[in-house]
Amino acid sequence: MTTLYGYFRSSAAYRVRIALNLKGLDYDQIPVNLVKGEQRGGEHLARNPLGLVPSLVLDDCSVVNQSLAICEYLDEVHPEPALLPVNTLERARVRALAQSVACEIHPLNNLRVLKYLVREMGADEAAKLAWYHHWIAEGFTALEATLSNDPGSSDFCHGDTPTLADICLIPQVYNAERFECDLSAYPTIQRIAANCRTLPAFEKAAPAAQPDAS
């Protein structure tokens, strides 16, 4: 059985759960509690030397790390339903949308960065939230413009079925809502998020639905 090592609130693990669910694949979950620092334990570091989640352990004990790499691996091994379009230019657009979230927005606001701001830089709660809101606004403003001005956007980030872009977007929207970011300026993002959340694959992947949710 394929095993996903993750944390219920991890955006990166959330992405992989969505991808696994869209593919209709069975998998076990083993939680790695990021708040308690379990990601820095020797057993997990042997799987993922960066001390991050998720890690996907395959039936033959091979390990795949990094959420986008895992999603593309799943798409190559289980090509239906596809997470990337067939057309090469459209594939590039979907990858760009996904990376706008995974490489530009999320890394500035993940748990280890927020902890560093508080513990090492002395930021109080107000300063931490200001940091979070600033980078969400920067990223979502650009993403909203990209989505709203391109005819490739439809019910989802690209076309009428979920792609890798939606897999990345929904966890980031969840986190923005959890940190009480004002999303009223991003109607296209909100519309796409609402469409995704009607699908069982996204609903089943939501943090509140995970066995380690607290």
Side-chain angles (χ1 to χ4, degrees):
M1 175 70 74
T2 298
T3 302
L4 177 64
Y5 290 81
Y7 180 62
F8 77 107
R9 279 191 182 141
S10 161
S11 293
Y14 192 170
R15 295 169 197 151
V16 174
R17 293 195 301 264
I18 296 169
L20 287 162
N21 295 343
L22 285 170
K23 296 292 184 181
L25 300 173
D26 292 328
Y27 59 99
D28 286 333
Q29 290 196 70
I30 296 181
V32 179
N33 193 310
L34 303 183
V35 175
K36 294 181 179 179
E38 292 176 358
Q39 70 274 21
R40 295 188 293 274
E43 183 179 351
H44 187 67
L45 288 175
R47 281 187 297 270
N48 190 328
L50 283 172
L52 301 173
V53 295
S55 290
L56 192 71
V57 179
L58 308 177
D59 295 346
D60 64 357
C61 297
S62 298
V63 181
V64 186
N65 291 318
Q66 292 293 338
S67 63
L68 295 189
I70 294 171
C71 290
E72 293 216 27
Y73 165 81
L74 293 173
D75 208 35
E76 291 171 2
V77 175
H78 306 278
E80 296 296 334
L83 303 180
L84 289 165
V86 174
N87 179 276
T88 53
L89 188 59
E90 293 178 359
R91 288 168 76 89
R93 177 177 187 260
V94 169
R95 284 190 172 113
L97 290 167
Q99 291 173 25
S100 292
V101 175
C103 302
E104 306 297 340
I105 302 173
H106 173 242
L108 289 162
N109 288 325
N110 66 19
L111 182 62
R112 62 178 180 166
V113 168
L114 297 179
K115 281 186 173 181
Y116 188 85
L117 285 173
V118 173
R119 295 177 180 177
E120 306 299 328
M121 305 299 291
D124 60 14
E125 186 66 16
K128 183 184 80 171
L129 287 176
W131 169 279
Y132 197 102
H133 290 184
H134 170 78
W135 292 113
I136 288 292
E138 286 268 320
F140 274 19
T141 297
L143 192 59
E144 175 71 21
T146 301
L147 291 169
S148 63
N149 293 327
D150 193 308
S153 304
S154 185
D155 289 342
F156 299 95
C157 288
H158 187 86
D160 298 324
T161 57
T163 65
L164 185 62
D166 305 283
I167 286 172
C168 290
L169 176 64
I170 297 311
Q172 194 62 66
V173 170
Y174 164 81
N175 279 335
E177 291 170 344
R178 188 164 72 90
F179 281 87
E180 300 181 344
C181 297
D182 181 4
L183 302 184
S184 60
Y186 318 115
T188 308
I189 289 174
Q190 290 191 87
R191 176 180 58 77
I192 291 170
N195 290 337
C196 289
R197 285 167 166 170
T198 66
L199 301 180
F202 286 81
E203 184 179 11
K204 182 181 175 184
Q210 304 319 302
D212 58 326
S214 59

